[in-house]
Amino acid sequence: MGDEQPRVAIVTGGSGGIGRAVVERLAADGMSVVVHYAGNEERATQTVRSVTGQGGSAVAVAADVAEPAQVRALFDEAERRLGGVDVVVNTAGIMLLAPLAELDVADFDRMHRTNVRGAFLVSQQAAERLRPGGALINFSSSVVRLAQPTYGAYAATKGAVEAMTLILARELRGRDVTVNAVAPGPTATPLFLDGKDQQTIDHLASLPPLQRLGRPDDIAETVAFLAGPARWVNGQVIHTNGGIV
């Protein structure tokens, strides 16, 4: 047993608020983690240092998740440096908010490029590369069900992610690979809190019966469950939001 190699995880958007919490949690569970980043190398390097400083194993790799060759190269690098891929967590995404009638079409296209095309390309590579016993965890959002004003175009991208996730789970019959999505509610990350006044934050924190905002660690806990012991959870969307919906 002592000679077994650690399981290997790729976390896209791994230097962001939720992404970083996922990286640190999976590393604490004994996985070697590829910290994917798009542009902020310094933040990715800090995430790797945080993991290695705790005795874990992590490497940072850059890629544009919407470019097929770069996504393939990301998985190639994981296999080359760490030996294979067992878990893929796709947290990379952008959120641009406006009423549907006022949203700039360029912003609509930007979100679809990263959130939908990116999830599609990462899921394709995961379907091809994940070893038996593996798990793909995509990211949706509770706003798909909450139907909040200004979130229409963003929620549409996450609805697309849910559809691809649920169908891919069934297409991978016989592979011993699970495919699920996590749908966080309001979560206290810098990206989420930016631009919101205290009254808005307090209102959002009051929505769940548990009467607080989610924390990145709350989301990472669900990801760790799906990535590890949850072998009988497959083709599901897990709403991790404290009971809002």
Side-chain angles (χ1 to χ4, degrees):
M1 293 291 288
D3 294 333
E4 286 185 6
Q5 293 297 309
R7 297 176 81 215
V8 177
I10 296 174
V11 180
T12 72
S15 62
I18 290 174
R20 177 167 175 163
V22 168
V23 167
E24 292 174 342
R25 175 55 196 269
L26 296 184
D29 285 348
M31 296 189 199
S32 296
V33 186
V34 175
V35 180
H36 158 268
Y37 67 98
N40 196 326
E41 183 178 8
E42 181 180 352
R43 199 166 61 179
T45 301
Q46 289 172 353
T47 303
V48 169
R49 285 181 184 145
S50 171
V51 168
T52 56
Q54 297 294 317
S57 170
V59 296
V61 180
D64 181 343
V65 294
E67 289 298 327
Q70 294 191 38
V71 177
R72 281 195 300 272
L74 171 66
F75 279 74
D76 288 344
E77 191 71 358
E79 291 179 342
R80 185 183 71 80
R81 297 176 69 170
L82 299 173
V85 183
D86 301 287
V87 174
V88 174
V89 186
N90 193 27
T91 78
I94 58 173
M95 181 172 65
L96 304 168
L97 304 181
L100 204 66
E102 300 171 16
L103 183 72
D104 190 292
V105 69
D107 287 343
F108 180 87
D109 288 343
R110 280 180 60 204
M111 279 193 288
H112 273 264
R113 184 179 186 278
T114 298
N115 298 3
V116 180
R117 179 181 164 110
F120 165 71
L121 291 173
V122 170
S123 294
Q124 271 195 329
Q125 289 299 311
E128 179 181 330
R129 313 276 193 119
L130 281 169
R131 295 186 284 205
L136 167 61
I137 299 134
N138 281 322
F139 263 67
S140 180
S141 169
S142 289
V143 300
V144 174
R145 283 177 19 182
L146 284 170
Q148 293 169 293
T150 75
Y151 284 83
Y154 173 72
T157 69
K158 294 306 186 177
V161 170
E162 289 190 8
M164 287 191 290
T165 299
L166 301 187
I167 292 169
L168 181 58
R170 287 146 182 87
E171 291 176 342
L172 294 186
R173 173 180 290 274
R175 285 279 306 280
D176 189 23
V177 168
T178 61
V179 185
N180 295 288
V182 175
T187 305
T189 65
L191 180 67
F192 174 80
L193 296 173
D194 184 45
K196 292 182 173 68
D197 59 35
Q198 192 60 46
Q199 183 177 359
T200 300
I201 293 168
D202 291 343
H203 169 69
L204 292 168
S206 74
L207 294 177
L210 298 175
Q211 294 187 303
R212 65 171 175 84
L213 292 176
R215 296 184 290 262
D217 287 351
D218 295 319
I219 313 306
E221 186 79 26
T222 300
V223 171
F225 174 62
L226 294 172
R231 298 308 301 165
W232 199 234
V233 180
N234 191 27
Q236 305 298 320
V237 179
I238 310 297
H239 289 81
T240 309
N241 57 32
I244 284 182
V245 291

